[in-house]
Amino acid sequence: MNKKVITRVAPSPSGFLHLGTLRTALLNYLYARAHDGKFILRIDDTDQSRGSQDMIRYIYDKFEEFGLEYDETFHQSERLERYQEVAEKIGQR
C-alpha cells in the first residue's frame, strides 16, 4: 500500500501563536516535505467569542515569515456541518 503522508497544525486565533505550535508546525512541515506529502494549516476558529480576524492574519503572517508553506488551508468553523453529521452517526451506534 502506498499511502500519502498528510500532516497538519491547527492554531487557534484566540491569542498570539505559541512557540510550541510553531515548533509542531515546523516538524510537521518538514516531515510532510521529506515524504512528498501534504502539509495543512487548519485555523481552529470554533470559539468565535475569543478569536479575531487580526489573530487569523497574524497566524498567516507568521507562517509566511518562517517559510512554512502549506498545501491547503481551511477554517474549522467552515466544516461545522460535517462535524455535526459525524457526531450524529456516532450517536446512532
Side-chain angles (χ1 to χ4, degrees):
M1 260 184 169
N2 190 9
K3 293 184 178 184
K4 185 169 185 158
V5 169
I6 300 174
T7 63
R8 66 131 173 96
V9 67
S12 171
S14 61
F16 291 104
L17 191 61
H18 190 275
L19 181 59
T21 302
L22 190 57
R23 178 195 62 117
T24 298
L26 176 60
L27 293 174
N28 288 351
Y29 169 81
L30 292 172
Y31 187 82
R33 294 298 180 255
H35 296 280
D36 195 29
K38 197 173 181 179
F39 176 61
I40 298 171
L41 171 60
R42 183 189 84 195
I43 304 296
D44 188 1
D45 63 343
T46 53
D47 186 350
Q48 300 284 314
S49 66
R50 292 183 8 171
S52 76
Q53 290 302 312
D54 289 341
M55 286 293 110
I56 291 173
R57 182 75 255 151
Y58 172 82
I59 291 168
Y60 286 122
D61 289 346
K62 287 299 172 188
F63 271 66
E64 184 176 335
E65 182 180 334
F66 285 94
L68 297 170
E69 297 176 3
Y70 41 86
D71 299 298
E72 181 183 336
T73 185
F74 66 89
H75 293 224
Q76 192 168 1
S77 63
E78 296 168 352
R79 297 187 173 189
L80 291 178
E81 188 176 303
R82 174 68 179 136
Y83 301 145
Q84 183 64 36
E85 290 172 10
V86 171
E88 288 173 8
K89 271 187 180 175
I90 292 171
Q92 293 174 358
R93 293 184 181 179

